[in-house]
């Protein structure tokens, strides 16, 4: 069933698809909590065959099999332990409350996780919230880095441990949905269902997804994960809303170019023609394979150099980026890189999918004293440096994702080849 569907663009049904990146056998779930090393190295694997739609600029994995992916139970991709992320989430919630007068309203969140953002949004305006998430079975965990209670938290939130079903938003004044669409084989269907409900309530919607330009322009290869069927560009996100009969009010890139959000209201006619991607987007797609080759050899050489010099390595960030970095470079826990640090206390003691590293808390680095800490997300560099100082760790930080350019390998949009083959990552 999916194989047939995936021959056309998931957003605009276009058939002009350009191969972009092929990676066989990657761990299917990066954020599953794995208590034992044996289960971590034996996780289920799936293939990535990333293609780009020339009509709307959408990127998607046409080899995606939804039967391999399940989010129930011990799945954790919460980001709210980071102060940097907390500030972003709080600023977003404040902006939405003011712009849409979300005071005393009914708010529905699709894919609410443990409800952190929904509580924030409802608390700021005294609204009532209902969240849907199949993985939400435990209450939120208090953490020292989480913002202290300032009267902005609300208890008037109900979380339903189930997937969102059409019609569930029919009494909502506002619908939010963050980092969900990219996981779905048919994201337009969800948008269409929300659009039909908002038609009745005259409400608005906020959807946030990872920004495809993070992968294409900033060359964050480690953000290509099996869990994400889709990588939205501005043009494909606008096209998705238009296909669903929603009228987009605003689209913006946020969080250092890592996220892309759109706000919309009901009202446009469905099935509008695709919004074409920019020439820069086409150029990034065309040069992607060559830049991926250079990126991988850069990191293979760098890690080989560290190994030659006897440098003690640790990696900071057990999220998707860290898991994919370790897996694509095949860095294992026996001699290359024994520990991965994460500030999410739920992950401490668990293991990295595929490569098996033990996940430790920042305080554990005091004993190990690494020489170099590889940092997966530049947005967290400041708080990581502070944490290292706090625990008397004198390691140097090596950023895995420099902003905007990498090793001089950025595409020149005016000088891109018209057509290339896909980047192909093969295991040694
Ligand atoms: Zn398309």
């Amino acid at each position: 069933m999916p194989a047939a569907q995936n021959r056309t663009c998931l957003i605009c049904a276009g058939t002009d698809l350009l191969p972009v990146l092929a990676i066989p056998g990657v761990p299917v779930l990066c954020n599953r909590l794995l208590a034992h090393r044996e289960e971590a190295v034996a996780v289920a694997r799936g293939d990535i065959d990333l293609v780009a739609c020339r009509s709307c600029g959408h990127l998607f994995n046409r080899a995606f099999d939804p039967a391999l992916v399940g989010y129930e139970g011990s799945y954790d991709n919460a980001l709210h332990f980071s102060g940097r992320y907390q500030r972003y989430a709080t600023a977003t919630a404040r902006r939405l409350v003011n712009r849409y007068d979300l005071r005393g309203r009914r708010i529905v969140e699709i894919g609410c996780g443990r409800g952190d953002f929904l509580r924030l949004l409802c608390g700021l305006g005294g609204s009532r919230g209902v969240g849907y998430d199949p993985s939400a079975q435990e209450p939120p965990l208090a953490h020292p880095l989480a913002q202290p209670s300032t009267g902005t938290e609300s208890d008037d939130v109900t979380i339903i441990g189930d997937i969102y079903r059409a019609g569930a938003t029919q009494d909502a004044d506002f619908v939010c949905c963050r980092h969900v669409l990219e996981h779905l084989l048919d994201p337009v269907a969800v948008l269409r269902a929300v659009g039909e409900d908002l038609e009745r309530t005259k409400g608005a919607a906020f959807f946030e997804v990872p920004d495809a330009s993070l992968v294409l322009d900033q060359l964050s290869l480690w953000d290509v994960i099996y869990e994400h069927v889709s990588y939205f560009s501005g043009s494909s996100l606008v096209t998705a809303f238009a296909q669903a009969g929603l009228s987009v009010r605003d689209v913006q890139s946020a969080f250092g170019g890592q996220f892309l959000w759109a706000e919309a209201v009901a009202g446009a006619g469905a099935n509008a023609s695709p919004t074409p991607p920019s020439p820069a987007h086409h150029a990034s797609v065309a040069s992607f394979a060559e830049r991926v080759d250079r990126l991988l050899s850069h990191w293979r050489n760098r890690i080989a150099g560290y190994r030659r010099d006897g440098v003690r390595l640790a990696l900071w960030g057990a999220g998707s980026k860290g898991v994919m970095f370790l897996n694509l470079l095949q860095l294992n826990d026996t001699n290359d890189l024994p520990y991965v640090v994460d500030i999410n206390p739920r992950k401490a003691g668990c293991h990295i999918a595929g490569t098996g590293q033990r996940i430790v808390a920042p305080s554990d680095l005091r004993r190990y004293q690494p020489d170099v800490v590889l940092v997966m997300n530049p947005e967290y560099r400041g708080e990581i440096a502070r944490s290292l100082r706090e625990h008397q760790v004198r390691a140097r930080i090596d950023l895995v994702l420099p902003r905007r350019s990498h090793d001089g390998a950025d595409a020149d949009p005016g000088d891109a080849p018209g057509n290339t083959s896909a980047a192909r990552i093969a295991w040694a």
Side-chain angles (χ1 to χ4, degrees):
M1 186 271 284
Q5 279 185 354
N6 294 0
R7 288 197 195 106
T8 60
C9 173
L10 302 183
I11 301 302
C12 76
T15 53
D16 193 359
L17 304 177
L18 186 70
V20 170
L21 173 70
I23 323 172
V26 299
V28 160
L29 290 174
C30 292
N31 291 296
R32 178 157 295 220
L33 301 179
L34 299 154
H36 304 287
R37 185 181 183 279
E38 305 78 67
E39 68 172 327
V41 296
V43 285
R45 291 171 182 271
D47 298 335
I48 289 175
D49 181 6
L50 195 66
V51 293
C53 170
R54 286 199 212 246
S55 304
C56 74
H58 197 61
L59 271 72
F60 66 98
N61 174 14
R62 65 177 164 189
F64 181 80
D65 179 359
L68 290 177
V69 184
Y71 296 109
E72 299 77 15
S74 56
Y75 179 84
D76 193 341
N77 61 355
L79 298 169
H80 69 279
F81 296 108
S82 154
R84 166 81 175 86
Y85 177 78
Q86 270 280 346
R87 286 189 293 280
Y88 169 73
T90 305
T92 299
R94 282 191 207 287
R95 185 174 57 74
L96 293 173
V97 166
N98 290 331
R99 183 164 195 189
Y100 294 98
D101 192 25
L102 302 181
R103 294 176 182 90
R105 302 300 181 107
R106 289 157 299 174
I107 300 175
V108 171
E109 181 168 12
I110 299 169
C112 64
R114 289 175 169 80
D116 304 307
F117 187 73
L118 185 59
R119 279 193 184 80
L120 189 58
L121 202 53
C122 290
L124 284 169
S127 295
R128 283 183 295 120
V130 178
Y132 292 85
D133 201 304
S135 74
Q137 286 149 359
E138 294 163 47
L141 190 69
H143 186 272
L145 271 177
Q147 294 207 331
S149 181
T150 52
T152 58
E153 286 174 26
S154 167
D155 288 319
D156 211 354
V157 164
T158 307
I159 294 176
I160 296 169
D162 195 3
I163 59 164
Y164 158 81
R165 293 177 209 281
T169 54
Q170 58 187 333
D171 67 343
D173 298 309
F174 192 80
V175 176
C176 67
C177 178
R178 305 176 62 235
H179 302 264
V180 170
L181 291 182
E182 69 273 17
H183 296 261
L184 306 176
L185 200 50
D186 190 358
V188 177
V190 168
L191 291 171
R192 193 176 294 123
V194 168
E196 282 166 11
D197 288 344
L198 292 180
E199 189 76 59
R200 281 191 290 275
T201 60
K202 302 296 168 214
F206 173 81
F207 280 77
E208 188 179 81
V209 291
D211 189 337
S213 75
L214 179 65
V215 173
L216 281 178
D217 302 336
Q218 301 192 51
L219 200 55
S220 188
L221 179 62
W222 337 109
D223 280 289
V224 177
I225 59 174
Y226 194 84
E227 288 142 282
H228 291 176
V229 197
S230 280
Y231 302 81
F232 286 86
S233 62
S235 57
S236 73
L237 191 58
V238 168
T239 301
F241 278 82
Q243 297 279 315
L246 282 158
S247 177
V248 173
R249 291 186 62 174
D250 205 353
V251 184
Q252 280 189 33
S253 186
F255 204 59
Q258 300 194 24
F259 302 162
L260 188 65
W261 57 252
E263 293 168 18
V265 293
N271 301 316
S273 53
T275 299
S278 65
H281 176 93
H282 281 307
S284 276
V285 168
S287 63
F288 190 70
E290 190 193 334
R291 289 182 292 136
V292 164
D293 278 350
R294 273 191 272 176
L295 175 74
L296 287 172
S297 41
H298 165 82
W299 278 106
R300 285 190 190 111
N301 292 338
R302 202 168 174 90
I303 300 286
Y306 282 144
R307 194 181 291 145
R308 206 169 44 238
D309 298 341
V311 167
R312 289 156 72 88
L313 285 177
L315 181 139
W316 193 297
S320 309
K321 291 178 209 287
V323 172
M324 288 308 291
F325 180 82
L326 293 168
N327 275 278
L328 292 183
L329 292 168
Q330 293 184 286
L331 298 174
N332 62 40
D333 59 339
T334 46
N335 49 19
D336 299 317
L337 201 154
Y339 299 114
V340 172
V341 188
D342 203 281
I343 57 174
N344 181 344
R346 289 190 207 100
K347 291 189 175 180
C350 292
H351 292 264
I352 295 287
T355 51
Q357 279 86 357
R358 189 178 166 82
I359 303 170
V360 300
S363 57
D364 292 316
L365 289 185
R366 205 190 292 242
R367 270 198 313 276
Y368 175 59
Q369 284 295 338
D371 302 306
V372 169
V373 174
L374 300 167
V375 167
M376 292 310 304
N377 194 331
E379 291 300 311
Y380 302 139
R381 180 188 191 151
E383 65 189 47
I384 291 169
R386 276 194 297 283
S387 182
L388 290 174
R389 279 197 300 275
E390 193 183 309
H391 295 105
Q392 283 118 49
V393 179
R394 279 174 295 277
R396 184 165 69 77
I397 286 180
D398 190 356
L399 278 183
V400 173
L401 172 64
R403 286 170 213 251
R404 291 292 162 197
S405 70
H406 185 89
D407 202 25
D410 255 25
D412 176 0
D415 188 32
N419 206 343
T420 64
S421 57
R424 193 160 288 277
I425 296 171
W427 307 124

